[in-house]
Amino acid sequence: SAVISQKPSRDICQRGTSLTIQCQVDSQVTMMFWYRQQPGQSLTLIATANQGSEATYESGFVIDKFPISRPNLTFSTLTVSNMSPEDSSIYLCSVEGGTVGYEQYFGPGTRLTVT
Amino acid sequence: AQSVTQLDSQVPVFEEAPVELRCNYSSSVSVYLFWYVQYPNQGLQLLLKYLSGSTLVESINGFEAEFNKSQTSFHLRKPSVHISDTAEYFCAVNRGTYKYIFGTGTRLKVLA
């Protein structure tokens, strides 16, 4: 299984500012994923990030609000732009875990509070 | 459209008692089924999965889940819980891709 780290682990930000979250994995992977986990709600996929191509966003998420970079096979960043209190969530990075069952390995998450 | 329902948002249970966390899904096609566990301040970890074959699947720490196609359920059970099982448990499905549908989670609180 892959070991995934995220930075920062938590942050408190002012509305209108932006935060970039980093995700580092200890092995090369083609597919990385970004999720949002809002309080009391299920995990929601924001986008899929493949190295060498533009990220693919899910319905309800746009690149201007959540720009993603994927410069190599072990690293990705997610930026939450022009934040509002509604963006307060846990943001999780995950990576592919093999094609049998399509399981994923998750990072520890970044807890974001917007004031 | 697919959906996953975890009816119980919180389940308190005394140590060494049995527990069942319920999960129902809706899908018109075959799916893969998963339970993930999230310990405090940690990421999600795969607990167990059903892909095909035997409908009863087990984890290494004593949890088991049974796939029931007629009831479209994948309930998670453990005959005797420990304090260390305190965590949030997520049921999830996928249709043979990396696109998951997650339930809203069940917070298991094991009491001494």
Side-chain angles (χ1 to χ4, degrees), chain A residues 30-71:
Chain A
T30 303
M31 301 180 73
M32 297 181 78
F33 310 89
W34 287 98
Y35 286 85
R36 183 172 71 184
Q37 183 180 6
Q38 292 181 301
Q41 298 186 31
S42 63
L43 282 78
T44 305
L45 181 64
I46 297 171
T48 302
N50 290 348
Q51 195 270 336
S53 62
E54 295 282 332
T56 302
Y57 289 82
E58 297 299 307
S59 176
F61 297 96
V62 295
I63 188 170
D64 290 346
K65 176 67 176 178
F66 298 100
I68 289 170
S69 78
R70 183 77 203 275

Side-chain angles (χ1 to χ4, degrees), chain B residues 78-102:
Chain B
K78 189 169 185 180
S80 175
V81 295
H82 302 288
I83 295 287
S84 60
D85 293 324
T86 294
E88 188 147 21
Y89 293 80
F90 291 91
C91 182
V93 304
N94 72 38
R95 287 170 53 182
T97 72
Y98 286 110
K99 209 169 262 198
Y100 277 82
I101 305 294
F102 281 91

Side-chain angles (χ1 to χ4, degrees), chain A residues 37 42 98 101-104 107-108, chain B residues 34 38 43 49 94 96 98 100 103:
Chain A
Q37 183 180 6
S42 63
Y102 299 89
E103 56 194 74
Q104 296 181 24
Chain B
F34 304 81
Q38 186 176 32
K49 62 186 177 186
N94 72 38
Y98 286 110
Y100 277 82

Side-chain angles (χ1 to χ4, degrees), chain A residues 8-30:
Chain A
S9 58
R10 59 179 63 224
D11 207 341
I12 300 173
C13 301
Q14 300 274 348
R15 104 180 28 229
T17 62
S18 298
L19 176 72
T20 295
I21 302 167
Q22 299 178 10
C23 177
Q24 179 77 52
V25 62
D26 69 343
S27 57
Q28 294 184 338
V29 292
T30 303

Side-chain angles (χ1 to χ4, degrees), chain B residues 11-20 61-63 77-86 108-112:
Chain B
V11 174
V13 62
F14 285 103
E15 194 172 19
E16 298 183 7
V19 70
E20 178 180 81
N61 58 353
F63 282 95
R77 302 185 184 94
K78 189 169 185 180
S80 175
V81 295
H82 302 288
I83 295 287
S84 60
D85 293 324
T86 294
L108 175 63
K109 174 75 171 176
V110 181
L111 309 168

